[in-house]
Amino acid sequence: MTGGLWAVVTAIPLDPDAEEARRLLREELAKPPYRAAEPSWFDLASKAFFDWLASLFSGADGAGGGWLPLVATVIIVGILVTALLIWGVPRLNRRRTATTALFGEHDGRSAEQMRSAASAAAASADWSLAIAEQFRALAAGLSERTVVAVSPGTTATDFARAAARALPAESAALREAAGAFDEVRYLDHQGSEAGYRAVRALDDRVRQARPALPEPAELHAGSSDGALS
């Protein structure tokens, strides 16, 4: 018994009537120390929530009943959906990683960024660079769409051959574009405006085309016709 309450009790006559005793107790319990000890609205709400949660996992006999499997399933599905939203589908993630490898160890640009670089080079009449950047954009675009999967050692000819399986109508144009890339990238040939515009037109057509292959063709290093780096 606290000191305040004891003082009230000792101050009450030995034989007070019931009404007087109740009045004195109400006055004492209304003081701040007693009010502070009462549970807050948050305490009451928390207790109600946890009581409700516990009721889901216990039936009348104390067993989990049919609620436990249902709640566990909902939690697992929620975790899986959240993971897919954050990290994406695993297969697509592997393709995006390969896209970065297409441009070399330190080049993580997207296909659109490569196209912008090609346009800037063309505006400066640097046709060799414009052709190289436009071909990289073409390859990166197909990799991002998961039409063709590439590895760090993929060559221009390898890529053109795999892309032709998905886009047979562009087989000849793909071979010519790969040859133009190899010439300006590895053989020090001077590119031309016509060569750049041909690769750009091919890229434009490929972006609108519907590939014939339902799954991306896996590529591996092996040809010496010029790596896409």
Side-chain angles (χ1 to χ4, degrees), residues 98 101-102 149-155 218-222 228:
L102 172 67
V150 298
S151 66
T154 297
T155 67
E218 296 285 352
L219 294 184
H220 304 282
L228 290 173

Short mmCIF file of all heavy atoms in Angstrom, two decimals, residues 98 101-102 149-155 218-222 228:
data_model
loop_
_atom_site.label_atom_id
_atom_site.label_comp_id
_atom_site.label_asym_id
_atom_site.label_seq_id
_atom_site.Cartn_x
_atom_site.Cartn_y
_atom_site.Cartn_z
N ALA A 98 23.96 -10.63 -68.23
CA ALA A 98 24.69 -10.88 -69.47
C ALA A 98 24.75 -9.64 -70.33
O ALA A 98 25.72 -9.41 -71.04
CB ALA A 98 24.01 -12.03 -70.24
N ALA A 101 27.74 -7.68 -69.43
CA ALA A 101 28.97 -8.31 -69.89
C ALA A 101 29.20 -8.07 -71.37
O ALA A 101 30.32 -8.14 -71.85
CB ALA A 101 28.92 -9.81 -69.60
N LEU A 102 28.16 -7.81 -72.12
CA LEU A 102 28.29 -7.59 -73.56
C LEU A 102 29.22 -6.44 -73.87
O LEU A 102 29.97 -6.46 -74.84
CB LEU A 102 26.90 -7.31 -74.14
CG LEU A 102 26.83 -6.86 -75.62
CD1 LEU A 102 27.26 -7.99 -76.53
CD2 LEU A 102 25.43 -6.40 -75.95
N ALA A 149 20.93 -14.53 -75.59
CA ALA A 149 21.73 -14.44 -74.37
C ALA A 149 23.20 -14.50 -74.75
O ALA A 149 23.61 -15.36 -75.52
CB ALA A 149 21.37 -15.57 -73.42
N VAL A 150 23.97 -13.57 -74.24
CA VAL A 150 25.39 -13.49 -74.59
C VAL A 150 26.27 -13.74 -73.39
O VAL A 150 25.84 -13.64 -72.25
CB VAL A 150 25.71 -12.11 -75.20
CG1 VAL A 150 24.93 -11.88 -76.48
CG2 VAL A 150 25.43 -11.01 -74.20
N SER A 151 27.51 -14.06 -73.65
CA SER A 151 28.52 -14.22 -72.61
C SER A 151 29.64 -13.23 -72.92
O SER A 151 29.70 -12.66 -74.01
CB SER A 151 29.06 -15.65 -72.62
OG SER A 151 29.76 -15.90 -73.82
N PRO A 152 30.57 -12.99 -71.96
CA PRO A 152 31.63 -12.02 -72.19
C PRO A 152 32.47 -12.31 -73.43
O PRO A 152 33.02 -11.40 -74.05
CB PRO A 152 32.47 -12.10 -70.92
CG PRO A 152 31.50 -12.53 -69.87
CD PRO A 152 30.56 -13.48 -70.57
N GLY A 153 32.59 -13.58 -73.81
CA GLY A 153 33.42 -13.93 -74.96
C GLY A 153 32.67 -14.02 -76.28
O GLY A 153 33.25 -14.43 -77.29
N THR A 154 31.40 -13.62 -76.31
CA THR A 154 30.62 -13.71 -77.55
C THR A 154 31.22 -12.80 -78.62
O THR A 154 31.60 -11.67 -78.36
CB THR A 154 29.17 -13.27 -77.27
OG1 THR A 154 28.58 -14.18 -76.34
CG2 THR A 154 28.35 -13.27 -78.55
N THR A 155 31.31 -13.31 -79.83
CA THR A 155 31.83 -12.53 -80.95
C THR A 155 30.69 -11.93 -81.76
O THR A 155 29.54 -12.33 -81.64
CB THR A 155 32.70 -13.41 -81.87
OG1 THR A 155 31.85 -14.37 -82.51
CG2 THR A 155 33.79 -14.12 -81.09
N GLU A 218 21.39 -19.46 -76.27
CA GLU A 218 22.58 -19.28 -75.46
C GLU A 218 23.81 -19.21 -76.36
O GLU A 218 23.98 -20.01 -77.27
CB GLU A 218 22.74 -20.45 -74.47
CG GLU A 218 21.62 -20.55 -73.46
CD GLU A 218 21.74 -19.49 -72.38
OE1 GLU A 218 22.78 -18.80 -72.37
OE2 GLU A 218 20.79 -19.35 -71.58
N LEU A 219 24.68 -18.22 -76.08
CA LEU A 219 25.89 -18.06 -76.87
C LEU A 219 27.11 -18.33 -76.00
O LEU A 219 27.10 -18.10 -74.81
CB LEU A 219 25.98 -16.63 -77.42
CG LEU A 219 24.91 -16.24 -78.43
CD1 LEU A 219 25.20 -14.84 -78.94
CD2 LEU A 219 24.86 -17.21 -79.59
N HIS A 220 28.16 -18.81 -76.62
CA HIS A 220 29.40 -19.08 -75.90
C HIS A 220 30.57 -18.60 -76.76
O HIS A 220 30.45 -18.50 -77.99
CB HIS A 220 29.55 -20.57 -75.60
CG HIS A 220 28.41 -21.15 -74.85
ND1 HIS A 220 28.25 -20.98 -73.49
CD2 HIS A 220 27.31 -21.85 -75.26
CE1 HIS A 220 27.14 -21.56 -73.09
NE2 HIS A 220 26.55 -22.11 -74.14
N ALA A 221 31.68 -18.33 -76.13
CA ALA A 221 32.87 -17.92 -76.87
C ALA A 221 33.34 -19.07 -77.75
O ALA A 221 33.15 -20.22 -77.44
CB ALA A 221 33.96 -17.51 -75.89
N GLY A 222 33.99 -18.72 -78.86
CA GLY A 222 34.51 -19.79 -79.68
C GLY A 222 34.99 -19.30 -81.02
O GLY A 222 35.89 -19.87 -81.62
N LEU A 228 32.50 -8.77 -78.87
CA LEU A 228 31.67 -7.59 -78.63
C LEU A 228 32.11 -6.93 -77.34
O LEU A 228 31.57 -7.18 -76.28
CB LEU A 228 30.20 -8.00 -78.55
CG LEU A 228 29.58 -8.46 -79.83
CD1 LEU A 228 28.19 -9.00 -79.57
CD2 LEU A 228 29.52 -7.35 -80.86
#
